Amino acid sequence: MQPFDLTTVFVTFFAVFGPPKVLLSFARVARTRSEAELRRLAWVSSLIAAVIGVVMAYTADLVTTFFHVTDQSLQLAGGVIFFVYSLTLVLGMHLGGGTDDSVGHTAGRLAEGLRELMLPYVASPLAVTAVLVGALTKDSWGWRTTMAGAYAAVAAIDCLCVLLLTRVLKNTHQTSLEVLSRLLGLILAAVGVELFLGGLHALGVHLAPAAH
């Protein structure tokens, strides 16, 4: 894998779990929640997402050593998981949720929302893969701090965008969400395939170029 710099790291994180992806996830959750509930959910989920990213950045070497996994296996697994998730978007299937919307307790509503956001945002497989693989490119605490800071910064930007666009998300039509979901799914599927191919390339599997 090519060595990263701060700009590359930030752009990578912005692409895999930045506002274009996160806003769509929150718009779907916003259909059954008040603006106050959505803002609370934005704060809590963004904080948890940032903590996960920071922890992964500082413990990447420990995690991969403990589970006996390599950079290549991370790329392959992350690519497969993200492709499957993207495929559900394209087909109109939505992972998460499925709980009773009649739950009125604030903590219950918050937990339900977090479950719906778990795969696409809170514990995004491609984002976690990116931070683990990126953190392993350089063996220094300074670099890990850079990775953690960039991840937390993108999570903060996501939270700010949700807070500023809460009313817009609440009023987004279901048809618009479905169209945007399928378009995003197609793009994310391609990203997942690229990640998987990158893992194959790192293992020494070179695919023949297309004939002209």
Side-chain angles (χ1 to χ4, degrees), residues 79-191:
V80 170
I81 294 173
F82 213 74
F83 179 80
V84 171
Y85 171 71
S86 303
L87 189 61
T88 64
L89 291 181
V90 174
L91 297 178
M93 302 162 55
H94 308 298
L95 301 178
T99 55
D100 185 3
D101 284 336
S102 64
V103 179
H105 195 277
T106 301
R109 299 276 290 173
L110 181 62
E112 178 191 344
L114 288 174
R115 281 195 296 270
E116 294 183 49
L117 293 170
M118 186 62 67
L119 183 61
Y121 178 48
V122 177
S124 168
L126 193 56
V128 171
T129 299
V131 73
L132 285 174
V133 174
L136 293 172
T137 60
K138 298 179 182 179
D139 187 17
S140 72
W141 287 106
W143 175 245
R144 292 167 187 167
T145 300
T146 298
M147 296 288 296
Y151 198 103
V154 174
I157 292 173
D158 289 339
C159 183
L160 179 61
C161 289
V162 173
L163 294 176
L164 292 176
L165 299 174
T166 299
R167 185 159 298 179
V168 175
L169 297 176
K170 281 286 296 176
N171 296 321
T172 302
H173 195 275
Q174 173 64 18
T175 302
S176 301
L177 286 180
E178 291 298 331
V179 172
L180 293 174
S181 178
R182 283 163 170 75
L183 291 175
L184 180 63
L186 180 60
I187 295 172
L188 295 181
V191 174

Side-chain angles (χ1 to χ4, degrees), residues 9-18 20-21 82 126 154 188 191:
V9 167
F10 185 83
V11 170
T12 299
F13 290 158
F14 196 87
V16 297
F17 81 114
K21 177 169 174 282
F82 213 74
L126 193 56
V154 174
L188 295 181
V191 174

